[in-house]
Amino acid sequence: MHQAARFPFPPPQAAQRRPLNRPSTRPSTRRHRCLAAAFGCHLVDLLIRLPIRLLAPLLALWLAAPALAATPGEAAGPQRLQAVTPAKPGLRHSYRELRWEELQPRDWDPAASFKKLDLSKLKDSDPRAIAALQELRSAWDRAPVRKEIDGWQVRIAGYVIPLERRGERVSELLLVPYFGACIHSPPPPANQTIHVVLNKPQAGIQTMDTFWINGQLSVGRGDSGLGVYAYRIRAERLDPFAIPRAQGTSQTASGR
Amino acid sequence: MSRWRFLLPLAAASAWNRRATLGLTLLAVILASTLLLAAERLRHDARHSFAQAVAGSDLIVGARGSPLQLVLHALFRVGEASGPISWRSYRQIAADPAVAWSIPLALGDSHRGYPVIGTNGDYFRHFRHGPGIPLQFSAGRAFAETGPGLFEAVLGAEAARQLGYRPGSQLTVSHGSGPLPSASHQDKPLTVVGVLAATGTPVDRGIHVPLAAFTALHLDWQGGQPLPGLQIPAEHVAKFDLTPHEIDAFLLGLHQRSTVFSLQRRIAAFRDEPLQAALPGIVLDQLWHSLAFGERLLRGLSWLILALSLCGMLAVMLAGLGERRRELAILRAVGAGMPQIAALLLLESLLLGLLGTAASVLLLAGLTSQCAPWLATHWGIVGQSPWPQGDELPLLAAILATALLAGLLPAWRASRLALADGLTPRL
């Protein structure tokens, strides 16, 4: 009975009604079709499966790179002091990690005028308090430098302000200890600002990015004749600064 | 391997046969890649020329207002100044112990569209551009600021070339920046005594005169017009006090660059006058940062347009496969294998990509040389070479690679079709 077949295949009679010797049923064409299918499979393999097999390990490496790159020293941030850090990969010297407080002379006390005042005994807007604060501020502006650290190989982290560019690469910059030093009051004094000159101009540096500066510190004297000294670093390399997260993993500071 | 060397002539001949439709897609590819290259070049040139122009000054001081407006007006002569600042304030700040040198600038007048800049000899001694390059003279000397040297001018390279002036030529300054000749200082012509060498910065378009000459030119003027009945001839101006009262801005160089912030704060807190001091590097960084979104958008749009034009090319090639079945069948019959058929189509898309990028490079060079004077005048952007440099070459390679990638689908389709049809394509 021709109605017995409920399968999705065509009924057997339909196949026998096909005329013979049509091009699509010739043995050579069937062979070509198989070859085409095989070629198609190979092409698909070449274009899709093989790249995936190659790319998957690379992708895994790329995702794992931040975790691999964060060494324990940097993950803890600058608060953890190491007197001398061993040479980081790619640097010629081993640099001593420096904090911003260490740039000021130990025996210098700008708040001397404040110590003479007893603030609880002064009235509001007392001119002595205002005068003491102004004297503190101007002393802060004239802060001296530590001449004995001239020539040290140091590593210090801060916010950068590019000064000179060669195309996209920055060749000179200023390093300041806090964010927004150019717009927030009061400005950092001369001994808390470092003029950094790069040996090799580096790209990817924008205003207020955070970097570790690795280089040689020098205490330079200006030509004004008034004995204004300032810090300079001849930087070998700048490393992005990693902000430590609570769990111990790290992320780079700039979101760009 | 002897089958392969016929492929390139075959692909070229086959493409030439269908040149009408392929020509249109080629045009689309050319326009899209020109747009992409032009956006990248404009971005690169703008950053480069701005960085070259501001290098060398540690601080730019002017009336309080927008720091960007100050930098653009003082260094690029684009836009307006917020207001003048007094000469006395300038002298006081220039006498600060942190300051190594200072250059006063007075702007506002023009000569045939080129800005006239009042300054003094410090400009030629201390001004730097690019990576610390001082100004040099290609002819003549700097102006003397007193005596007979009062009405002398030094021209930038571009101004001298376009206006055709040499040392010894005479020019008259127009009051203000407009083109009308009615307001001009005809009674006091200036003599050109020097021409600067080309710098690639807005300095090239400037006409530099002594500040005292600026004052002398306006001695018998008031409110932008000559006073009726009063004429002070050029030879008598020295009898008056020619110290300028006001300037527009001044540039400062410091002994130690790390003292810049405390000086900047002292200038901002200056009691006699509202002043501001801008660090040109930071101001430019802020400018680029605020433009970054627009740049990225433009770049994304350009890539999208390129993708669209390549889709058009893809559609034309795929649709054309139908009419090429006989051609491909004949090639199969004479011994072309599947790789050769695929290579034929790939070569065709590669040819289109090569032609497209080459033509877009030429088109861009033409556009650049046409627009360069306008860009330099109105935006201070000085173009580099019109041919692709450094960063543009990887971009060209990326466009070529994308075109080649787009040819993979027709290649695969064609090789399948050629196999299935044999010698009697069903039409």
Side-chain angles (χ1 to χ4, degrees), chain B residues 331-347:
Chain B
L331 287 173
R332 285 280 300 149
V334 299
M338 286 171 296
Q340 279 82 25
I341 302 280
L344 200 67
L345 270 291
L346 279 176
L347 266 178

Side-chain angles (χ1 to χ4, degrees), chain A residues 41-51:
Chain A
C41 289
H42 284 306
L43 202 63
V44 162
D45 208 17
L46 196 67
L47 287 177
I48 297 170
R49 293 198 202 121
L50 191 58

Side-chain angles (χ1 to χ4, degrees), chain B residues 298-373:
Chain B
L298 185 61
R299 202 183 305 171
L301 277 177
S302 309
W303 274 108
L304 188 65
I305 292 174
L306 183 70
L308 281 174
S309 64
L310 287 176
C311 281
M313 181 181 88
L314 199 64
V316 161
M317 285 172 73
L318 280 175
L321 284 180
E323 64 190 40
R324 294 173 73 182
R325 286 164 80 176
R326 188 176 288 276
E327 173 193 335
L328 296 176
I330 292 172
L331 287 173
R332 285 280 300 149
V334 299
M338 286 171 296
Q340 279 82 25
I341 302 280
L344 200 67
L345 270 291
L346 279 176
L347 266 178
E348 188 170 314
S349 64
L350 185 63
L351 268 175
L352 280 177
L354 272 172
L355 274 176
T357 45
S360 69
V361 162
L362 288 171
L363 184 62
L364 187 62
L367 275 176
T368 311
S369 35
Q370 281 300 305
C371 296

Side-chain angles (χ1 to χ4, degrees), chain A residues 39 43 141 161-162 164-166 168 172 174 176 181 184-185 187 193 195 207 220-222 224 226 228 230 256, chain B residues 43 47 55-56 97 131 255-262 264-266 279 281-282 285 289 338 408 412 415 419:
Chain A
F39 178 67
L43 202 63
D141 258 349
I161 296 166
E164 303 261 343
R165 289 182 189 266
R166 312 267 168 101
E168 300 272 338
E172 270 184 53
L174 286 177
V176 292
H184 293 311
S185 227
T193 312
H195 179 203
T207 307
R221 187 188 168 130
S224 60
L226 293 178
V228 175
R256 289 187 265 264
Chain B
R43 182 181 160 273
R47 281 170 194 255
H255 288 295
Q256 298 274 14
R257 296 191 93 157
S258 42
T259 55
V260 65
F261 293 123
S262 49
Q264 186 188 30
R265 218 54 55 84
R266 282 204 291 283
L279 269 104
I282 294 185
D285 265 0
H289 186 59
M338 286 171 296
L408 279 178
W412 180 65
S415 57
L419 277 170

